[in-house]
Amino acid sequence: MRLDKFIADNSDYSRAQVKRLMHKELVSVNGEVVKDPGFKVTEQDQVLLDGEPMRSLGSRYLMLHKPKGYVCSTDDPEHASVLLLLDDRERFGLHMAGRLDLDTTGLVLLTDDGQWSHRVTSPKHQCQKRYRVWLDEPLVADAEARFLEGVQLRGERHLTKPAQLERISDTEVLLTISEGKYHQVKRMFAALDNKVVDLHREAVGALELDPDLAEGEYRPLTPEEVASLV
């Protein structure tokens, strides 16, 4: 990849601004000042911008513990995006691999790898998501069987795919689903004449939210974690 493009893609500088920085000898590759915008860099190269290392080439994969009050979007005029929870230099080029509602907490995956995020979110791949759900009313006795058979959501032509429900108490459950319709968890319990009062995503596929991450914190995924969702 061209050096000027690499820096522009991973910073808030334009290509023209990067060229001016290079002219001022503020860019180095592997310890050598580089002034040629077309200089080619690879995954093995260390790029410094004004003495600060930039991330290496290659895809990025992060897990974030989403708090309430943030949206998994970049174009909501009323609410802050989860991307604002990331360091300035981390957020460029990333997108959410699956979304959570404004008032839902828990595991959000972020990446710049479109193929990987497609595998995570595509209904064809049926990647399971596990939620901890707190309800307004005691759960009906046959909820497990009804979710396993599929329920009819308002405005939908087809039943939901089979879902696994584990009862923790009459008003707290674990729900595992393999699809991601709009407000699906809330609508599923609404179909049982109940209301979700709190919702937290604990896991996507085999990947569980790191218990050491406080709300608003994030960390890179390990190669093993990335591979677990392929």
Side-chain angles (χ1 to χ4, degrees):
M1 179 184 289
R2 285 175 57 102
L3 180 55
D4 61 343
K5 184 177 188 306
F6 168 67
I7 296 174
D9 285 351
N10 297 284
S11 72
D12 54 358
Y13 293 109
S14 66
R15 296 272 286 268
Q17 290 172 323
V18 171
K19 290 175 182 178
R20 288 195 287 270
L21 293 171
M22 298 180 73
H23 182 72
K24 294 178 181 179
E25 300 187 351
L26 294 177
V27 175
S28 67
V29 179
N30 302 326
E32 298 291 333
V33 171
V34 177
K35 300 174 69 174
D36 176 12
F39 186 87
K40 300 295 184 182
V41 290
T42 68
E43 294 183 12
Q44 288 71 42
D45 292 320
Q46 183 185 49
V47 179
L48 300 185
L49 175 60
D50 198 14
E52 293 293 326
M54 304 200 68
R55 70 169 181 84
S56 61
L57 287 170
S59 297
R60 293 173 290 162
Y61 309 90
L62 305 176
M63 72 160 57
L64 168 74
H65 187 168
K66 178 190 173 298
K68 291 183 179 181
Y70 288 83
V71 293
C72 293
S73 173
T74 58
D75 56 2
D76 190 311
E78 298 182 4
H79 303 100
S81 168
V82 294
L83 292 174
L84 296 177
L85 296 167
L86 308 182
D87 292 339
D88 289 348
R89 290 175 59 185
E90 286 274 19
R91 72 176 69 124
F92 291 101
L94 293 178
H95 63 270
M96 285 67 76
R99 300 187 174 193
L100 291 179
D101 297 337
L102 178 70
D103 58 351
T104 301
T105 62
L107 176 59
V108 170
L109 300 175
L110 302 111
T111 184
D112 55 6
D113 183 343
Q115 291 185 340
W116 184 82
S117 63
H118 177 73
R119 288 192 293 269
V120 173
T121 59
S122 172
K124 182 177 70 174
H125 292 92
Q126 298 190 33
C127 181
Q128 294 188 331
K129 291 91 177 174
R130 187 178 78 239
Y131 296 84
R132 187 172 294 269
V133 189
W134 291 267
L135 301 168
D136 186 47
E137 301 287 341
L139 194 63
V140 295
D142 63 345
E144 289 89 344
R146 291 172 66 178
F147 275 12
L148 194 59
E149 292 173 357
V151 297
Q152 184 69 57
L153 301 182
R154 185 176 180 179
E156 298 284 345
R157 294 178 56 190
H158 303 290
L159 299 180
T160 60
K161 292 181 179 179
Q164 295 179 336
L165 186 67
E166 179 183 347
R167 195 182 300 245
I168 307 301
S169 71
D170 282 345
T171 57
E172 182 182 350
V173 300
L174 294 177
L175 176 66
T176 302
I177 61 176
S178 61
E179 52 189 344
K181 299 179 184 294
Y182 179 70
H183 291 325
Q184 179 169 342
V185 175
K186 296 175 182 177
R187 294 166 67 199
M188 289 178 73
F189 285 99
L192 303 185
D193 297 319
N194 211 325
K195 180 181 179 181
V196 173
V197 295
D198 262 316
L199 185 59
H200 178 80
R201 184 158 68 192
E202 296 186 340
V204 175
L207 182 58
E208 300 204 1
L209 178 63
D210 190 330
D212 292 332
L213 289 179
E215 288 191 359
E217 293 184 340
Y218 63 96
R219 68 162 175 81
L221 298 184
T222 66
E224 292 76 18
E225 289 172 333
V226 173
S228 74
L229 294 177
V230 174

